[in-house]
């Protein structure tokens, strides 16, 4: 792939943020925190985000989504994520959703250029 053919993550970041917002709203719209199925919901949203975002990113990027569902009543939480990358091509998204009554959702997505 020629350097001029490389797609920068910044060129699709806004569209991917919308995908993240839409998938969180869709999957958690009627959900109340339940420790028995929080892992299932976490898997579901991460997979849905990557599946739809990968269509947008095509073969230009490898995507990794990390999703966490945390009970508001009992969760103390700290998270860090890091990745070595080319800051001119690669990028990431970190979003915290605290609009739900009983839980938080935190999404971290890395977009790593394949070129």
């Amino acid at each position: 792939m020629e350097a001029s053919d490389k797609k920068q993550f910044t060129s699709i970041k806004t569209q991917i943020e919308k995908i993240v917002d839409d998938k969180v709203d869709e999957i958690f719209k009627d959900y109340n925190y339940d420790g028995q199925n929080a892992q299932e919901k976490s898997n579901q949203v991460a997979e849905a985000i990557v599946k739809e975002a990968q269509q947008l990113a095509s073969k230009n990027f490898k995507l990794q989504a990390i999703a966490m569902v945390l009970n508001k009543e009992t969760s103390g939480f700290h998270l860090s994520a890091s990745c070595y990358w080319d800051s001119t091509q690669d990028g990431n998204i970190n979003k915290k959703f605290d609009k739900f009554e009983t839980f938080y959702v935190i999404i971290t997505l890395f977009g790593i250029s394949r070129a």
Side-chain angles (χ1 to χ4, degrees):
M1 181 181 293
E2 296 289 323
S4 61
D5 294 337
K6 288 183 179 179
K7 187 182 256 188
Q8 295 180 341
F9 188 79
T10 55
S11 70
I12 59 173
K13 184 174 181 175
T14 301
Q15 294 164 291
I16 291 181
E17 284 180 337
K18 179 158 179 19
I19 290 168
V20 169
D21 292 345
D22 291 348
K23 291 302 172 188
V24 168
D25 286 344
E26 174 187 319
I27 291 170
F28 292 102
K29 68 181 175 190
D30 295 322
Y31 180 72
N32 283 313
Y33 183 82
D34 178 353
Q36 296 295 316
N37 65 2
Q39 182 67 51
E40 179 183 324
K41 286 292 193 183
S42 176
N43 293 345
Q44 184 182 3
V45 74
E47 289 172 10
I49 289 167
V50 168
K51 183 177 180 179
E52 189 164 330
Q54 193 64 57
Q55 292 174 6
L56 175 66
S58 67
K59 295 180 181 178
N60 293 306
F61 294 93
K62 292 180 182 180
L63 299 176
Q64 177 190 26
I66 302 165
M68 287 158 271
V69 179
L70 303 161
N71 183 345
K72 281 187 175 179
E73 292 180 11
T74 61
S75 290
F77 185 75
H78 304 274
L79 170 71
S80 297
S82 179
C83 183
Y84 178 79
W85 63 41
D86 176 354
S87 63
T88 63
Q89 300 296 321
D90 307 329
N92 70 310
I93 295 168
N94 295 296
K95 296 194 88 169
K96 176 183 175 184
F97 299 86
D98 60 0
K99 61 186 173 183
F100 304 105
E101 187 175 328
T102 60
F103 62 96
Y104 301 103
V105 176
I106 300 171
I107 304 290
T108 299
L109 182 132
F110 289 103
I112 310 297
S113 176
R114 291 182 182 261

